[in-house]
């Protein structure tokens, strides 16, 4: 009576790397900000170890360069290392050449730290959209076998592919797409993938949506950022909506995560889907 396996993933980045802070903390200032990624990631790693879950970590190259021991620790605990780009730039804001350079820079660093080939990619802010479809050819050319960046929704101002398929599928570009999860409720697509949705919705709502997704035959692609379990992070002045989106329920995330790990089965992309692109 095995329950359906879902994917547990982390977008491994610093609290100040998020797109929300693009205006407030430009890249030139990243180096001067307090690093909090190690303690937050270790809290997540310990929770995963306790529940014997191995997941996939989409690591930002800029962070890996500064915290190689942290990435080695992620690796040592059996998690899969994948790429989240180097500088956390949205693909929608890059030229193809800029994207290729950014991706390769991240892969050079991650390949040195990971024991297995780096096969996965997740774009900052899910920025593989209809307009940036060209990025898939570049991903494939750089050795990436799966992308996990498409959010099959139409209501978010910054991302989404409204008519994208909901289940993992092979793309004509020659790699796999593992879309972010939505449950279909009364004909509507409701995100149940983690991140901000996980923090804003009461846990019972998340659990219901995840169960619905599983009942509809799809594994959930769950994601979270280390800063989402770090209530002590420095506060940045933000407009109201962004402030709520970023700071709401940070103190509740870790206990909620524990409940979720008790209620559902999780594993990495590599172990759930890797047979599809094994060389
Ligand atoms: Zn990110």
């Amino acid at each position: 009576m095995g329950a359906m396996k879902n994917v547990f993933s982390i977008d491994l980045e610093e609290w100040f790397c998020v797109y929300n802070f693009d205006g407030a903390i430009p890249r030139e200032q990243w180096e001067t900000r307090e690093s909090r990624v190690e303690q937050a990631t270790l809290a997540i790693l310990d929770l995963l170890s306790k529940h014997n879950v191995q997941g996939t970590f989409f690591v930002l190259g800029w962070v890996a360069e500064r915290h190689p021991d942290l990435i080695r620790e992620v690796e040592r605990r059996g998690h899969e290392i994948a790429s989240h780009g180097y500088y956390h730039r949205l693909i929608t804001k890059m030229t193809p050449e800029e994207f290729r350079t950014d991706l390769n820079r991240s892969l050079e660093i991650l390949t040195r730290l990971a024991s297995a080939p780096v096969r996965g990619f997740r774009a900052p802010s899910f920025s593989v959209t209809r307009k940036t479809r060209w990025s898939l050819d570049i991903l494939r050319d750089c050795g990436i076998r799966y992308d996990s960046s498409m959010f099959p929704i139409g209501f978010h101002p910054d991302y989404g592919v409204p008519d994208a398929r909901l289940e993992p599928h092979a793309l004509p570009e020659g790699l796999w797409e593992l879309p972010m999860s939505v449950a279909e409720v009364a004909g509507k697509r409701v995100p149940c993938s983690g991140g901000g949705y996980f923090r804003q919705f009461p846990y019972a709502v998340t659990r219901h949506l995840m169960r619905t997704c599983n009942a509809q035959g799809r594994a959930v692609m769950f994601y979270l950022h280390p800063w989402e379990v770090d209530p002590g992070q420095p506060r940045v002045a933000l407009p109201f909506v962004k402030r709520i989106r970023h700071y709401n329920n940070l103190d509740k995330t870790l206990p909620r995560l524990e409940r979720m790990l008790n209620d559902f089965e999780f594993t990495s992309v590599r172990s759930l889907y890797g047979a599809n692109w094994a060389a």
Side-chain angles (χ1 to χ4, degrees):
M1 294 293 285
M4 184 178 255
K5 288 253 187 198
N6 301 286
V7 172
F8 189 96
S9 74
I10 294 289
D11 291 357
L12 208 168
E13 64 196 43
E14 290 277 10
W15 61 275
F16 48 78
C17 296
V18 297
Y19 178 55
N20 256 350
F21 294 167
D22 223 28
I25 307 178
R27 279 176 190 77
E28 307 80 69
Q29 289 180 24
W30 281 8
E31 210 73 72
T32 68
R33 298 297 168 135
E34 180 190 354
S35 170
R36 300 181 65 89
V37 72
E38 292 192 353
Q39 60 185 78
T41 303
L42 282 174
I44 294 171
L45 285 174
D46 286 346
L47 194 59
L48 293 175
S49 293
K50 181 177 163 193
H51 290 265
N52 199 21
V53 169
Q54 292 174 335
T56 296
F57 283 60
F58 295 91
V59 180
L60 195 65
W62 187 89
V63 168
E65 207 167 57
R66 282 152 187 83
H67 302 274
D69 286 343
L70 178 65
I71 310 310
R72 286 190 198 101
E73 181 64 18
V74 170
E75 163 88 34
R76 196 183 65 76
R77 298 202 195 195
H79 304 290
E80 174 188 5
I81 306 286
S83 171
H84 193 39
Y86 180 83
Y87 245 145
H88 212 262
R89 293 180 64 192
L90 274 53
I91 303 180
T92 38
K93 311 230 161 169
M94 284 190 277
T95 66
E97 265 328 292
E98 286 171 334
F99 174 62
R100 188 187 293 269
T101 303
D102 184 271
L103 174 66
N104 275 328
R105 196 171 174 189
S106 86
L107 291 175
E108 265 169 42
I109 297 158
L110 297 175
T111 302
R112 277 204 304 273
L113 296 170
S115 61
V118 177
R119 294 306 191 200
F121 175 78
R122 176 168 296 143
S125 295
F126 312 111
S127 53
V128 174
T129 63
R130 220 177 275 139
K131 279 185 193 152
T132 56
R133 185 99 199 178
W134 49 262
S135 59
L136 297 168
D137 288 320
I138 295 175
L139 288 167
R140 181 206 56 226
D141 290 350
C142 294
I144 295 296
R145 302 282 174 86
Y146 71 88
D147 171 67
S148 181
S149 308
M150 289 192 199
F151 223 128
I153 53 169
F155 60 79
H156 199 284
D158 296 328
Y159 56 78
V161 184
D163 55 352
R165 286 168 65 180
L166 302 187
E167 70 287 347
H169 55 281
L171 296 165
E173 285 83 358
L175 65 169
W176 282 72
E177 176 61 34
L178 311 179
M180 307 313 293
S181 293
V182 301
E184 289 181 295
V185 182
K188 293 232 180 326
R189 296 178 166 190
V190 186
C192 59
S193 237
Y197 302 101
F198 183 66
R199 283 183 296 118
Q200 314 301 348
F201 297 162
Y203 174 67
V205 171
T206 296
R207 184 174 54 199
H208 175 72
L209 291 170
M210 286 177 66
R211 282 179 179 157
T212 303
C213 192
N214 282 173
Q216 290 170 350
R218 298 184 302 279
V220 169
M221 170 61 75
F222 182 84
Y223 77 96
L224 203 69
H225 305 88
W227 59 262
E228 294 186 278
V229 303
D230 180 15
Q233 67 190 276
R235 292 300 195 260
V236 173
L238 291 171
F240 175 72
V241 173
K242 286 187 173 185
R243 192 169 72 228
I244 295 294
R245 216 181 266 164
H246 194 84
Y247 294 121
N248 200 28
N249 291 337
L250 292 175
D251 54 333
K252 299 198 178 99
T253 313
L254 217 45
R256 228 178 235 186
L257 211 48
E258 176 125 50
R259 289 182 68 186
M260 188 188 76
L261 292 170
N262 281 323
D263 289 339
F264 295 88
E265 298 274 324
F266 288 96
T267 187
S268 62
V269 171
R270 178 168 66 195
S271 85
L272 196 56
Y273 300 115
N276 287 315
W277 50 81

